[in-house]
Amino acid sequence: MEIAAPYRPPPAGLPVLWHADLRPRFVVFVDTEEEFDWRAPFTRERHGTQATRALPAAHRRFAGWGVPIAYMVDYPVVRDPHAVEALHAALADGASTIGAQLHAWVTPPFNEPLSPAASYAGNLPLNVEAAKLDSLTQALHATFGRRPRAYRAGRYGIGANTLGLLAERGYRLDSSVRAHYDYRGDGGPDFRDMGNAAYRCGPGDALIELPLTTVFTGALRRMGAPLFHRLGRVPHARGAFARAGLLERVSLTPEGMPLPAVLEAVRVALGEGLPVLSFAFHSPSLAPGHTPYVRDAADLAAFWRWWEGVLTLLDARGVKPIGLEALIDAVG
């Protein structure tokens, strides 16, 4: 089976025009997925869904803050009755949403080799990617009674055929772009030139692309992506520039992004007039021991302090949460 070369998306299309009454908003995505050893080779068997038992308590926390969640659910999770029960309960808030997240290596049919490059679903042949997307979409529809309208490729693994496949199946929003990141090292896509603003894409501009917000901060932030990627050619240069307050790349996630850096990134994004901030994390981080970011109880406590700090700043700046369905419907 031929695996495609690393994908580089075309330049961003027409910007999304949000309804005029949409004040700055933020959306929280949870990559609701199986837990597995992130350091081990890809496998179809050695994974679990125990961390989904933490979903109800986590959802109550976010609901207490008035924050709906976009749960991007993958195939092993939708096949777990306990996880499904928790997600059904979460949907009772009327604003949280179920979307699709495709982990190619654990989603049938299994016709492709196991490899890092093949873990990016967009690298697979069109018929293989389509079959896996159909398996996931149909399972979500059967389980939750509604076809998902939002999609995220696991590992941000969008490819040349992905948007066409999504449009054919009635999806309205893709969130597979991680602005200013480059995953070519093991066969993934290249988002170095992609920014944070939502834009129209796919056949007939039928889809909204909402990237995971990634902001450059520091005294040289206006030099942004070009300087950051040049620094990558020099060992330790990026770290040195970040420590000196010159340039730092910050994504809006509690995973690997310190709270002070993210607070500054939020201020920069709002100062630049970004109308929608996109946050994300992986559901296995809700329980200790399943991701590199939450290894123990102390890390989990820090995870929740991170959210308290971020949500406090957003509230002070008048930035309100929005559910994913409401966000899709806010496109002019």
Side-chain angles (χ1 to χ4, degrees), residues 27 152 177-181 195-197 210-215 250-253 265-266 269 274 276-280:
V27 61
R152 171 169 289 167
V177 169
R178 187 172 188 179
H180 303 307
Y181 272 72
N196 293 305
L210 181 65
L212 173 60
T213 305
T214 301
V215 177
V250 184
S251 291
L252 300 190
T253 174
V266 168
L274 190 65
V276 178
L277 306 183
S278 175
F279 290 80

Side-chain angles (χ1 to χ4, degrees), residues 17-25 275-276 320 322 326-327 330-331:
L17 299 178
W18 305 105
H19 288 320
D21 59 354
L22 185 79
R23 296 176 294 173
R25 298 295 182 103
V276 178
K320 303 300 183 184
I322 188 169
L327 185 68
V331 176

Side-chain angles (χ1 to χ4, degrees), residues 56-73:
H59 189 85
R60 287 192 295 271
R61 279 187 185 249
F62 282 107
W65 289 319
V67 178
I69 301 297
Y71 291 102
M72 309 304 284
V73 178

Side-chain angles (χ1 to χ4, degrees), residues 30-35 51-52 54-55 71 77 255 281-287 290-291:
V30 176
D31 291 353
T32 313
E33 62 189 41
E34 78 284 0
E35 60 264 14
T52 59
L55 285 173
Y71 291 102
V77 170
E255 297 174 329
F281 67 90
H282 299 86
S283 64
S285 286
L286 294 171
H290 298 298
T291 71

Side-chain angles (χ1 to χ4, degrees), residues 13-295:
L14 293 173
V16 168
L17 299 178
W18 305 105
H19 288 320
D21 59 354
L22 185 79
R23 296 176 294 173
R25 298 295 182 103
F26 71 93
V27 61
V28 176
F29 290 91
V30 176
D31 291 353
T32 313
E33 62 189 41
E34 78 284 0
E35 60 264 14
F36 56 93
D37 186 347
W38 290 25
R39 300 163 299 180
F42 288 94
T43 174
R44 307 202 197 280
E45 292 84 27
R46 292 192 298 275
H47 62 264
T49 53
Q50 291 301 308
T52 59
R53 308 306 189 266
L55 285 173
H59 189 85
R60 287 192 295 271
R61 279 187 185 249
F62 282 107
W65 289 319
V67 178
I69 301 297
Y71 291 102
M72 309 304 284
V73 178
D74 78 352
Y75 194 83
V77 170
V78 77
R79 305 301 294 176
D80 180 333
H82 295 287
V84 168
E85 182 180 3
L87 290 167
H88 270 298
L91 295 178
D93 67 16
S96 292
T97 307
I98 298 296
Q101 183 196 185
L102 179 56
H103 278 193
W105 62 98
V106 289
T107 302
F110 301 122
N111 298 319
E112 80 284 6
L114 283 170
S115 70
S119 72
Y120 296 100
N123 287 346
L124 300 174
L126 186 151
N127 64 314
V128 178
E129 184 181 9
K132 289 178 179 290
L133 180 59
D134 284 338
S135 291
L136 176 59
T137 303
Q138 291 162 11
L140 291 169
H141 187 193
T143 300
F144 296 104
R146 183 175 181 180
R147 294 181 69 86
R149 296 205 294 168
Y151 175 80
R152 171 169 289 167
R155 310 194 73 209
Y156 307 99
I158 194 172
N161 300 316
T162 306
L163 297 179
L165 294 173
L166 294 176
E168 289 171 1
R169 288 153 179 78
Y171 283 88
R172 289 289 313 283
L173 182 143
D174 178 67
S175 61
S176 301
V177 169
R178 187 172 188 179
H180 303 307
Y181 272 72
D182 181 4
Y183 293 101
R184 291 176 300 165
D186 63 354
D190 178 3
F191 301 131
R192 286 176 297 170
D193 298 329
M194 308 304 292
N196 293 305
Y199 60 91
R200 293 187 176 275
C201 60
D205 288 336
L207 288 159
I208 302 161
E209 181 63 54
L210 181 65
L212 173 60
T213 305
T214 301
V215 177
F216 290 103
T217 63
L220 301 179
R221 67 180 178 81
R222 298 197 181 279
M223 300 179 69
L227 174 57
F228 183 83
H229 293 297
R230 286 200 300 272
L231 291 173
R233 302 169 191 161
V234 181
H236 313 300
R238 288 175 175 173
F241 269 59
R243 289 189 295 274
L246 297 174
L247 186 69
E248 185 171 10
R249 182 182 64 180
V250 184
S251 291
L252 300 190
T253 174
E255 297 174 329
M257 299 289 162
L259 177 59
V262 171
L263 296 179
E264 177 61 15
V266 168
R267 295 185 189 102
V268 169
L270 295 176
E272 293 179 346
L274 190 65
V276 178
L277 306 183
S278 175
F279 290 80
F281 67 90
H282 299 86
S283 64
S285 286
L286 294 171
H290 298 298
T291 71
Y293 310 111
V294 178
R295 298 159 298 179

